[in-house]
């Protein structure tokens, strides 16, 4: 479980995030939605500590992230961003195994894990030999997913991982991604940011709707749909096409 308390982040005096208390359940998929600029990426960056909060705490399985624990805790998290965030000068394979090499994993263990993840992500060893620029957007996101899963971390953070893909590729990857999540032996705590309500409902056991740095509602898709805590919830859901009812 990820526990957040009295978390505040400002940029030049402008409040980007202000969350009093939030619990992200373990071993489930948690979708974060909200309009552009509402603080979704800021929340993920704070969890993986690419940035530090002005105040407040984040704990991963009750261990608070601070300067002393950040290195260790970061290894417990995989992170996937919209454009993949792969190193362009490294092959897909090198991108995937970079951290395991740094941690001096035996070659045998690395090869075995790559084979396992390649099957899971639907990539061949030939594709893994290519550089990111030689892969399609969808393939790059599959590589990025492999990299995030390589060390088998208990937490996976995904920031609009499918946001840059065209609708057909996106739909296929949504299904594949869900299959991957379901097939993992030990279930992971997945935090998935999207601005698409239907995608959030497709993946998320729970959904967190944010607005202007604050939590508006946390609950299942059904709860957001049928028991909105604020008119903004309905407004946000209604603004999506096709409407979320199609996915019920
Ligand atoms: P989202 O991911 O929901 O679109 P972000 O978390 O990226 O939103 O941004 C939240 C707010 O913080 C926005 O108002 C954005 O302009 C601001 N912000 C984000 N990153 C920075 C930064 N590095 N410097 C200044 N302002 C930032
Ligand atoms: Mg963002």
């Amino acid at each position: 479980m990820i526990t957040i308390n009295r978390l505040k982040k400002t940029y030049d005096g402008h409040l980007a995030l202000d969350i009093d208390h939030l619990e992200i359940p373990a071993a489930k998929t948690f979708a974060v939605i909200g309009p552009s600029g509402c603080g979704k990426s800021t929340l993920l960056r704070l969890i993986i500590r690419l940035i530090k909060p002005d105040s407040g705490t984040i704990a991963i399985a009750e261990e608070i992230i601070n300067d002393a624990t950040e290195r260790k805790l970061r290894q417990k998290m995989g992170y996937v961003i919209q454009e993949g965030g792969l190193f362009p000068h490294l092959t897909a394979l090198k991108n995937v195994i970079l951290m395991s090499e740094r941690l001096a994993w035996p070659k045998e263990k690395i090869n075995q894990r790559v084979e396992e993840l390649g099957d899971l992500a639907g990539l061949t060893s030939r594709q893994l030999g290519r550089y990111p620029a030689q892969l399609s957007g969808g393939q790059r996101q599959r590589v990025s997913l492999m990299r995030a899963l390589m060390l088998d971390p208990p937490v996976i953070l995904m920031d609009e991982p499918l946001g840059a893909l065209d609708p057909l590729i996106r739909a296929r990857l949504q299904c594949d991604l869900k299959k991957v999540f379901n097939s993992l032996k030990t279930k992971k705590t997945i935090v998935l940011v999207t601005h698409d309500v239907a995608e959030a409902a497709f993946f998320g056991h729970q959904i967190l709707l944010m607005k202007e740095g604050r939590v508006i509602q946390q609950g299942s898709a059904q709860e957001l749909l049928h028991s909105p805590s604020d008119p903004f919830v309905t407004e946000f859901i209604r603004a999506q096409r096709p409407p979320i009812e199609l996915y019920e």
Side-chain angles (χ1 to χ4, degrees):
M1 180 166 66
I2 302 173
T3 312
I4 290 173
N5 276 309
R6 292 175 302 281
L7 190 68
K8 271 202 177 114
K9 176 71 187 172
T10 57
Y11 288 108
D12 312 318
H14 172 86
L15 194 70
L17 199 75
D18 184 359
I19 296 181
D20 185 50
H21 180 73
L22 172 66
E23 287 180 8
I24 299 179
K28 296 226 182 314
T29 303
F30 188 83
V32 181
I33 55 171
S36 184
C38 73
K40 305 181 294 295
S41 296
T42 300
L43 175 62
L44 255 56
R45 289 193 195 111
L46 285 164
I47 295 174
I48 195 146
R49 209 164 164 91
L50 289 176
I51 53 174
K52 294 181 188 182
D54 297 5
S55 57
T57 58
I58 301 173
I60 312 284
E62 295 180 15
E63 195 165 0
I64 288 183
I65 313 175
N66 54 37
D67 291 344
T69 60
E70 67 175 36
R71 252 181 94 95
K72 188 182 76 182
L73 288 177
R74 225 181 251 148
Q75 284 179 15
K76 293 192 176 172
M77 296 183 250
Y79 185 42
V80 178
I81 58 172
Q82 185 168 332
E83 302 294 345
L86 300 171
F87 292 114
H89 61 290
L90 299 178
T91 63
L93 177 66
K94 271 284 176 195
N95 268 284
V96 170
I97 67 176
L98 195 63
M99 274 312 287
S100 59
E101 284 189 331
R102 241 178 238 176
L103 295 170
W105 279 25
K107 262 230 137 23
E108 187 70 0
K109 186 177 171 191
I110 292 179
N111 291 343
Q112 200 184 331
R113 182 77 180 141
V114 166
E115 197 170 310
E116 206 176 285
L117 290 177
D119 285 348
L120 206 62
L123 287 170
T124 64
S125 52
R126 243 182 93 191
Q127 289 166 330
L128 287 172
R130 298 195 187 132
Y131 289 89
Q134 299 169 319
L135 295 168
S136 69
Q139 288 166 341
R140 276 198 293 274
Q141 290 311 76
R142 289 174 191 270
V143 174
S144 190
L145 176 69
M146 281 180 72
R147 182 175 65 174
L149 291 170
M150 184 69 192
L151 302 184
D152 203 16
V155 177
I156 300 279
L157 308 173
M158 309 186 97
D159 194 348
E160 307 212 27
L162 310 177
L165 304 174
D166 68 57
L168 264 180
I169 302 285
R170 183 175 182 148
R172 194 178 307 152
L173 252 166
Q174 281 174 340
C175 291
D176 284 2
L177 203 56
K178 198 165 176 175
K179 263 189 236 152
V180 170
F181 293 162
N182 289 337
S183 72
L184 295 170
K185 277 172 237 130
T186 43
K187 295 277 169 279
K188 307 217 174 280
T189 304
I190 295 160
V191 187
L192 179 109
V193 166
T194 172
H195 57 255
D196 180 357
V197 177
E199 192 166 277
F202 179 71
F203 282 110
H205 296 105
Q206 263 193 52
I207 297 176
L208 181 80
L209 175 61
M210 292 174 53
K211 182 191 176 192
E212 293 166 6
R214 292 191 165 85
V215 172
I216 301 295
Q217 188 168 2
Q218 177 180 357
S220 66
Q222 298 307 314
E223 282 165 343
L224 266 65
L225 194 58
H226 300 300
S227 328
S229 67
D230 184 286
F232 175 74
V233 179
T234 306
E235 193 189 322
F236 188 78
I237 290 173
R238 294 273 164 240
Q240 304 260 329
R241 267 178 211 87
I244 191 174
E245 282 90 338
L246 288 179
Y247 294 84
E248 278 192 78

